[in-house]
Amino acid sequence: MASSINLPEELIIEIMSWLSPESLIQFKCVGKYWYKLVTFLLNDPSFVVKHLRNQNDSNNIFFSPSIAVSCLRIYDTPVYTYKELFALISVPNSNQNDSVSEDMNLPIIPGEKDMSSQTISHCNGVVCVADYYHNIILSNPAMKNSRVLPEPGLMGRFVLQGVGFGYDSRNNDYKVVRFGRDQSIYPRAEVYSLNSDSWKEIGIDSGTDYFPSLHIDTYFNGAFYWLMSGPRFMIQYFDMSDEVFRDVTLPESLQTAKSQWMSLGVWNDSVALFFCPGEKGTPVTVDIWVMNEECVNGPDSWKKGLTIGPFEGIDCPLGFCNEEEFVMRSANFREVVCYYNVRTQNLRNIKVEGLDGIGCRALSYVKSLVSVQTRNEK
C-alpha cells in the first residue's frame, strides 16, 4: 500500500496504535489508502491487542481517564418520567471544577425502558448488558456495534441470579457466565463462548443459602467477582479460563459490622472491597480492603489498604478511575461528583454537565477496537 505522506508504514501504524478508536475510524474517510490500512488494522488481532495496551497507558498523550456511571435523564412530559442510562464522565485536571459527560448509547434490552433492571459489566472496551430473563447483548460503544447472544440453555423455570463477563486469555476468547436456580434448590450455571458462539452448562457449588448482592460485582484479570449474601458475606468468582467457580472468605471484622454501603472494584492491580461502616446519615468513611490473590482463603486473604474520610455530604462511593482518584457521589446527586486524591488527600467537588442525576452504579471503562463478532463473521 502506498501512502500519500512520506513516512514509513511501520511508523504510521505505530502512531495509529495510540489514537482513540473514533479518531482511527475517521481515517477511513480520507482516501483509499487509509481505508484499506485502517480496515486491515481493525481485523489484525495483534494490532487490536497493542492498541488496547496503549489505551491503558497513562503516558499516552491521548489518554483521558474516565468512569462510566449510571445516570438519570428526566423528561419534561405531563407525567413525570425518567430513564436510567450510562454515561462516561471524564476525569478533570487538578485545576478544573467541571467535567464533561458522554452518553455511552448502550443498547437497551427489548421491552425494557432503561438500564435500571439490567446488569452491566465491562471488559477491554466491551460492555455486557443482560436482563434477569435470558436476553444478553455484547456491545462496543466506541465502535458502535453490538450483537445479541443466542438463547441460553437454562430457561423456562430457571431463575437467574447472576451474570458475569470477561476475557479468557488462555484461549483468546470472551465469555459470559450466568447462574441461578430452577425447580431444585441447588444452583446451576452455564457459560457462553464468543469463539464458538454457543452455550454449555458447567458445574457450580455455591451452597443453597447464598445469593449475589444486587449490582455489587466487578471483573479483574481473567475472573468475574460477586459479593454473595447469606449466613455470612463472601466473594464468589468465576475463572474465565478454567471455567470454575471459587469462593473467598471476607475478613471476620466485616461479617458483623454495620455498613452504609459496600461495593467491589479494582485498585492498584487488585480486587478491592469498598466498605462504609456506620449508619445512613452519618459522615462517610471508606475502608478499602485489598484481596490477596496468592492466598484467597487464609487469614491473609484480605488486607486493609487504606481508610479515607470521614466526608460530609457524600452519598456513596463509585470507585477508582485511576490509581489515585477515588470517585464518590455527592448528596447533591443531580449534578456533582467528588474526586478524592488518595496521594494528596485533596477533595474536589466537580459539576458534571449534561446529566439530570447520577446513580450509584459505576465501572471503569476504556475504549478499544475489540470486536463483538464471532470468528466466522470476521
Side-chain angles (χ1 to χ4, degrees):
M1 288 184 285
S3 168
S4 58
I5 57 177
N6 190 24
L7 285 176
E9 189 165 272
E10 293 79 7
L11 179 57
I12 294 175
I13 293 175
E14 175 64 27
I15 293 172
M16 299 184 90
S17 72
W18 294 89
L19 300 179
S20 69
E22 296 92 339
S23 298
L24 185 60
I25 292 173
Q26 287 178 349
F27 274 89
K28 295 177 72 173
C29 303
V30 174
K32 290 183 178 180
Y33 167 79
W34 296 103
Y35 181 88
K36 290 182 179 179
L37 177 61
V38 172
T39 300
F40 170 78
L41 294 177
L42 293 179
N43 290 283
D44 180 4
S46 62
F47 179 82
V48 172
V49 170
K50 181 177 183 178
H51 180 270
L52 177 62
R53 184 172 60 248
N54 290 347
Q55 293 303 296
N56 281 307
D57 190 337
S58 58
N59 293 319
N60 185 350
I61 61 173
F62 303 107
F63 178 74
S64 178
S66 60
I67 186 169
V69 300
S70 57
C71 62
L72 302 181
R73 299 289 190 192
I74 297 175
Y75 297 88
D76 187 13
T77 64
V79 178
Y80 173 81
T81 185
Y82 71 90
K83 289 186 177 182
E84 180 178 323
L85 305 172
F86 268 76
L88 283 178
I89 298 178
S90 61
V91 179
N93 296 325
S94 58
N95 59 349
Q96 292 179 309
N97 293 318
D98 53 20
S99 180
V100 177
S101 65
E102 175 188 347
D103 196 335
M104 292 185 72
N105 291 313
L106 293 179
I108 297 175
I109 299 290
E112 302 287 347
K113 77 163 189 175
D114 61 10
M115 313 298 292
S116 58
S117 61
Q118 300 175 41
T119 67
I120 308 294
S121 48
H122 162 260
C123 173
N124 294 347
V126 177
V127 179
C128 176
V129 180
D131 63 14
Y132 282 91
Y133 298 98
H134 59 267
N135 301 297
I136 302 177
I137 301 175
L138 296 183
S139 173
N140 184 329
M143 300 295 289
K144 294 182 171 56
N145 57 38
S146 61
R147 70 176 292 106
V148 178
L149 300 195
E151 287 189 346
L154 298 176
M155 294 175 59
R157 296 188 178 183
F158 180 77
V159 178
L160 182 67
Q161 294 176 329
V163 177
F165 170 67
Y167 178 62
D168 172 3
S169 60
R170 185 185 303 162
N171 299 295
N172 189 26
D173 194 6
Y174 286 87
K175 295 178 178 178
V176 178
V177 61
R178 61 196 296 269
F179 63 92
R181 301 164 196 264
D182 53 19
Q183 291 174 292
S184 72
I185 62 174
Y186 297 101
R188 298 176 67 184
E190 60 186 341
V191 62
Y192 167 85
S193 160
L194 184 61
N195 283 351
S196 66
D197 192 29
S198 63
W199 292 91
K200 68 176 180 181
E201 188 165 358
I202 56 174
I204 178 175
D205 181 18
S206 61
T208 60
D209 298 325
Y210 285 90
F211 304 87
S213 302
L214 186 63
H215 302 323
I216 304 181
D217 51 41
T218 194
Y219 169 81
F220 174 68
N221 196 27
F224 198 90
Y225 298 78
W226 298 266
L227 176 67
M228 305 293 286
S229 302
R232 297 166 62 84
F233 285 114
M234 71 173 186
I235 301 294
Q236 178 176 268
Y237 71 93
F238 179 76
D239 186 303
M240 294 288 167
S241 296
D242 293 338
E243 295 187 349
V244 295
F245 289 88
R246 297 187 176 97
D247 299 335
V248 183
T249 57
L250 287 185
E252 193 64 34
S253 61
L254 300 184
Q255 296 292 347
T256 57
K258 289 185 177 180
S259 67
Q260 301 184 49
W261 193 267
M262 282 194 290
S263 61
L264 286 173
V266 176
W267 180 52
N268 281 348
D269 289 327
S270 297
V271 174
L273 174 69
F274 309 126
F275 183 86
C276 300
E279 298 183 356
K280 291 284 187 182
T282 60
V284 171
T285 298
V286 184
D287 293 333
I288 302 172
W289 291 80
V290 178
M291 193 182 84
N292 179 4
E293 289 188 84
E294 302 299 324
C295 180
V296 294
N297 270 317
D300 299 321
S301 58
W302 292 89
K303 178 182 179 182
K304 186 187 287 188
L306 190 66
T307 296
I308 59 176
F311 302 108
E312 297 280 356
I314 297 298
D315 185 64
C316 64
L318 296 177
F320 281 93
C321 58
N322 54 45
E323 291 186 359
E324 294 185 354
E325 295 276 355
F326 189 72
V327 188
M328 298 171 285
R329 187 177 84 161
S330 166
N332 175 17
F333 64 89
R334 288 185 62 88
E335 58 182 12
V336 176
V337 293
C338 303
Y339 287 82
Y340 179 78
N341 189 298
V342 298
R343 181 178 57 83
T344 65
Q345 299 185 1
N346 181 43
L347 178 67
R348 296 182 291 155
N349 293 324
I350 303 298
K351 183 175 181 180
V352 182
E353 302 290 345
L355 299 182
D356 295 317
I358 298 168
C360 276
R361 286 197 285 168
L363 49 90
S364 59
Y365 179 77
V366 59
K367 295 181 178 181
S368 79
L369 304 176
V370 175
S371 174
V372 297
Q373 293 179 315
T374 65
R375 288 178 173 176
N376 294 332
E377 296 171 332
K378 293 180 181 179

